[in-house]
Amino acid sequence: MLNLYIYSFFMILMFIIFFFYSIFLNLLNFSFMLEWMLFNLNSINVEFFILIDWVACLFISVVMMISSMIMLYSSIYMGNEIYLNRFIILLNFFILSMILMIISPNLISILFGWDGLGLISYCLVIFYQNYLSFNSGMVTILCNRIGDIGLLMTIGMMSFLGSWSMYFLNKDFLLILMMILLASITKSAQLPFSSWLPMAMAAPTPISALVHSSTLVTAGVYLMIRFSKFFESNLIISKILFYSSIFTMFMAGLMANFEIDLKKIIALSTLSQLGLMMMILSLGFSMLSFFHLLIHAIFKSLLFMCAGIMIHLMDNNQDIRFSGNLNKYIPFTMMSFYISNLSLMGFPFLSGFYSKDLIMELIYLMDINMFLLVMILLSLMFTISYSLRLFYFIFFSSMKNKSFNYYEENMLMNLSMLILMMLSLFSGSLMMWLFFFNDYFLFMNIFIKLITMIMMILGVMIGYSMVMKNFMNLYVLSYFFSSMWFLNYMYVWNYKFFLIFSLKFYMLDKSWIEFVGKNLLLNVIKKMMIYLNLYKIFMFIFLIFFLLIMFYF
């Protein structure tokens, strides 16, 4: 327990140092690049880079601050956990991997932090070691490995260029940029790789507060922000990212209106906000995306902390239909939840308003297809509606839970939430004036400016109709919209051939091949030939693709 307090104090100290250092670097417009050569291979230098600028220092300060509050929170929340030491070690390695990824501008050095995030996130998701955790952890790591393969293929292809530094890359090199895009959208759970993010809720709540606010899911967005100058001139990549992010926002917002699991609703709101960051990033406003990333990290970690206390109060029940009138029992937690959720909605002059309102105003000024603009506005309305629906079930409905665990609020947990609550109130204006004020100055018609407020009012009406008219009781709608639109079944359908094929090889490899009977071996060879005949078209496509790559290089 003492270790958690020591780590928390150390991280608060690091937060103060890095925050003031980021202000210093921003004012001077100054940055440092450190370089170490690991070894030399065939005239290619395998180098380890560290980039220290105001973006990296500011992001590290936010990660440190949230991590320190989560350490304080965990000292009470996980106080009776048998494997507390394992939890602390994994948490520290996770934070270290994220910091390593933040300060890395080079693909080789990024890979250390990137793979560390993927591996330790798997260990954290399966922390409770039950069937649901193992299943969720496997989906999480397999989806993330697709992005890791994209990063590894990028490193392999850039070996042809003589350097692994992206800053020596030709901006028109489409294939490498496509692989980096694949890595980013898998780590940040954009469509069609979205199903792992709600399933990762099997992790303990402090882990969810860290993973789904400022570390794992934001790694893909941060990678795109770092390399944004390569994607701005490439219309194909920008369009792919733009469409994927809008449909991710729409899907997550619509699903959250039908979801009944408290932690999954907050996870889907994370998915919706990640779609918003990717959308504005694809339009070329990388610093605005970074602004919303920082603000979102603060209020989302507070939301998860409040959710953890509510789940304890409800005797480990996460179904929002059984909760109600919780403000009588945990008033400070409910106040924190209320403020952080209003910040998520973009309520005027809370922290989320400064980034979300600026994003929507820039969207109105862009030349965007009307259908996509309607999708963006509907996603904005869904954010309001599922937040108000959550308010209704937690604050205003009557409690229906048969078992109730009386919980007295702890002062240390309240302290950690109080600091995050104050930042949810003031961090938007603080960062706007310190870092982002000179970047964006917009002037527009008052009627265009009021579109966002009108959409918010319509979102209130949708939220009211969702609760009062009981749309969520329609089983067909509820089943479809709360099942990630059957993305998991799509994965099974795609992987079916590979699973069957690998099973045949596994059965062959399990026995000694030299002692296998002649007839059995012939049957296996025949079946393999059948598979090859069925799928030779894919082999032909692969060969053509490989030859094109060779000629391209």
Side-chain angles (χ1 to χ4, degrees):
M1 193 72 67
L2 184 62
N3 289 341
L4 283 171
Y5 298 141
I6 294 169
Y7 289 135
S8 180
F9 176 76
F10 173 74
M11 287 177 183
I12 290 172
L13 189 63
M14 295 302 291
F15 154 65
I16 296 169
I17 292 169
F18 275 104
F19 183 72
F20 283 106
Y21 195 50
S22 65
I23 296 173
F24 172 73
L25 290 175
N26 186 41
L27 289 174
L28 293 181
N29 196 17
F30 204 64
S31 61
F32 297 96
M33 178 82 84
L34 308 176
E35 175 187 354
W36 290 271
M37 193 177 78
L38 300 179
F39 58 90
N40 185 280
L41 177 68
N42 289 342
S43 76
I44 297 178
N45 295 331
V46 180
E47 296 164 327
F48 189 87
F49 281 88
I50 288 179
L51 175 63
I52 300 173
D53 61 349
W54 73 268
V55 174
C57 289
L58 184 58
F59 197 14
I60 289 172
S61 69
V62 170
V63 170
M64 284 293 183
M65 186 270 302
I66 292 171
S67 303
S68 65
M69 296 302 107
I70 287 169
M71 289 283 188
L72 278 180
Y73 179 87
S74 301
S75 64
I76 307 300
Y77 189 91
M78 305 287 287
N80 298 323
E81 178 60 46
I82 302 171
Y83 303 109
L84 184 62
N85 287 332
R86 182 205 297 168
F87 174 81
I88 296 169
I89 291 166
L90 286 173
L91 200 58
N92 283 322
F93 272 115
F94 193 76
I95 296 163
L96 185 65
S97 298
M98 188 63 199
I99 291 170
L100 190 61
M101 204 222 106
I102 290 170
I103 59 177
S104 300
N106 187 25
L107 289 172
I108 295 291
S109 48
I110 279 174
L111 193 64
F112 289 105
W114 192 270
D115 270 347
L117 284 173
L119 176 62
I120 299 166
S121 66
Y122 172 71
C123 297
L124 289 169
V125 169
I126 64 167
F127 184 80
Y128 284 137
Q129 298 184 14
N130 53 41
Y131 180 79
L132 178 64
S133 298
F134 290 144
N135 190 21
S136 301
M138 191 55 67
V139 172
T140 300
I141 198 165
L142 285 178
C143 279
N144 280 287
R145 286 312 286 171
I146 297 172
D148 297 347
I149 289 166
L151 206 59
L152 288 169
M153 289 183 71
T154 306
I155 291 170
M157 286 187 284
M158 285 191 70
S159 63
F160 286 89
L161 302 176
S163 173
W164 283 291
S165 179
M166 286 292 292
Y167 297 99
F168 296 111
L169 182 66
N170 186 353
K171 292 183 180 180
D172 298 327
F173 213 92
L174 181 62
L175 197 56
I176 287 178
L177 296 180
M178 285 291 286
M179 291 298 109
I180 294 175
L181 176 70
L182 178 67
S184 299
I185 63 174
T186 49
K187 194 69 83 174
S188 291
Q190 303 298 296
L191 274 177
F193 306 107
S194 302
S195 64
W196 70 266
L197 195 141
M199 294 186 76
M201 289 294 103
T205 304
I207 299 303
S208 301
L210 185 64
V211 167
H212 295 272
S213 63
S214 59
T215 51
L216 181 69
V217 294
T218 57
V221 181
Y222 185 75
L223 185 71
M224 294 293 288
I225 289 168
R226 274 298 187 201
F227 298 146
S228 59
K229 71 171 191 175
F230 302 106
F231 296 97
E232 287 170 2
S233 59
N234 198 306
L235 290 176
I236 297 173
I237 302 254
S238 298
K239 283 187 176 180
I240 292 171
L241 186 60
F242 185 61
Y243 295 146
S244 174
S245 57
I246 287 177
F247 282 106
T248 304
M249 282 173 59
F250 183 78
M251 180 194 75
L254 189 57
M255 279 175 54
N257 280 288
F258 290 91
E259 187 57 63
I260 55 174
D261 189 312
L262 175 61
K263 283 180 72 176
K264 282 193 176 178
I265 291 173
I266 302 174
L268 289 167
S269 75
T270 301
L271 190 57
S272 177
Q273 299 306 304
L274 287 169
L276 186 66
M277 293 174 211
M278 285 291 196
M279 177 195 69
I280 198 67
L281 179 65
S282 66
L283 294 173
F285 300 100
S286 56
M287 281 300 104
L288 185 52
S289 176
F290 180 62
F291 182 28
H292 189 58
L293 187 151
L294 298 174
I295 301 296
H296 169 262
I298 293 166
F299 65 70
K300 190 51 63 73
S301 56
L302 179 57
L303 267 176
F304 273 111
M305 285 181 177
C306 298
I309 293 176
M310 284 188 268
I311 291 165
H312 266 264
L313 181 72
M314 299 303 298
D315 201 15
N316 297 326
N317 188 358
Q318 296 180 197
D319 195 328
I320 60 171
R321 295 173 297 181
F322 291 101
S323 60
N325 286 332
L326 297 188
N327 47 322
K328 292 180 180 178
Y329 309 101
I330 42 174
F332 182 81
T333 305
M334 287 294 99
M335 183 175 67
S336 305
F337 186 83
Y338 190 69
I339 289 172
S340 56
N341 219 338
L342 283 175
S343 184
L344 167 68
M345 293 161 63
F347 193 81
F349 308 113
L350 294 183
S351 62
F353 167 78
Y354 288 91
S355 54
K356 288 189 78 171
D357 190 63
L358 196 53
I359 287 171
M360 294 311 298
E361 287 178 1
L362 283 168
I363 290 293
Y364 302 145
L365 294 176
M366 301 289 287
D367 187 14
I368 294 175
N369 185 341
M370 184 58 73
F371 172 73
L372 296 176
L373 183 60
V374 170
M375 291 276 284
I376 295 167
L377 293 174
L378 283 174
S379 305
L380 185 71
M381 289 164 55
F382 289 149
T383 304
I384 311 297
S385 63
Y386 68 67
S387 299
L388 291 175
R389 176 173 165 263
L390 196 55
F391 278 149
Y392 173 78
F393 279 106
I394 289 172
F395 281 88
F396 304 114
S397 67
S398 57
M399 186 177 288
K400 306 175 189 68
N401 201 15
K402 293 179 182 178
S403 60
F404 177 76
N405 179 24
Y406 180 70
Y407 177 82
E408 186 175 352
E409 290 183 319
N410 184 277
M411 291 300 293
L412 201 58
M413 295 173 86
N414 284 357
L415 175 64
S416 65
M417 289 193 293
L418 177 65
I419 294 171
L420 287 173
M421 183 173 67
M422 297 301 289
L423 286 169
S424 295
L425 288 170
F426 303 122
S427 63
S429 56
L430 181 70
M431 289 186 189
M432 186 76 180
W433 285 100
L434 283 176
F435 297 102
F436 300 99
F437 180 72
N438 294 325
D439 295 342
Y440 306 101
F441 185 78
L442 304 176
F443 178 79
M444 59 177 63
N445 194 320
I446 184 67
F447 298 109
I448 298 174
K449 200 166 181 64
L450 285 174
I451 290 175
T452 308
M453 299 304 295
I454 293 167
M455 289 298 117
M456 291 178 76
I457 294 167
L458 288 174
V460 172
M461 295 169 64
I462 291 175
Y464 175 81
S465 62
M466 286 289 295
V467 173
M468 296 305 172
K469 302 300 180 183
N470 272 333
F471 284 148
M472 62 179 292
N473 288 341
L474 296 173
Y475 178 75
V476 176
L477 283 176
S478 164
Y479 181 69
F480 176 71
F481 288 125
S482 63
S483 63
M484 291 303 296
W485 292 8
F486 303 121
L487 276 176
N488 284 328
Y489 296 105
M490 185 193 78
Y491 294 148
V492 172
W493 180 69
N494 284 333
Y495 296 156
K496 187 176 180 181
F497 160 68
F498 299 103
L499 291 172
I500 295 170
F501 200 56
S502 60
L503 183 63
K504 297 295 180 184
F505 272 104
Y506 171 71
M507 296 300 293
L508 186 64
D509 191 54
K510 197 167 70 169
S511 57
W512 290 87
I513 294 178
E514 58 266 29
F515 293 112
V516 170
K518 180 182 176 183
N519 293 331
L520 181 60
L521 189 59
L522 286 173
N523 287 334
V524 171
I525 292 171
K526 285 178 183 177
K527 287 182 179 179
M528 286 173 60
M529 292 303 293
I530 291 168
Y531 282 125
L532 288 173
N533 285 330
L534 287 174
Y535 292 98
K536 61 186 179 184
I537 183 67
F538 294 106
M539 184 59 71
F540 176 75
I541 293 170
F542 173 77
L543 287 172
I544 295 295
F545 185 67
F546 183 73
L547 288 171
L548 284 172
I549 291 173
M550 287 184 65
F551 284 123
Y552 196 66
F553 280 116

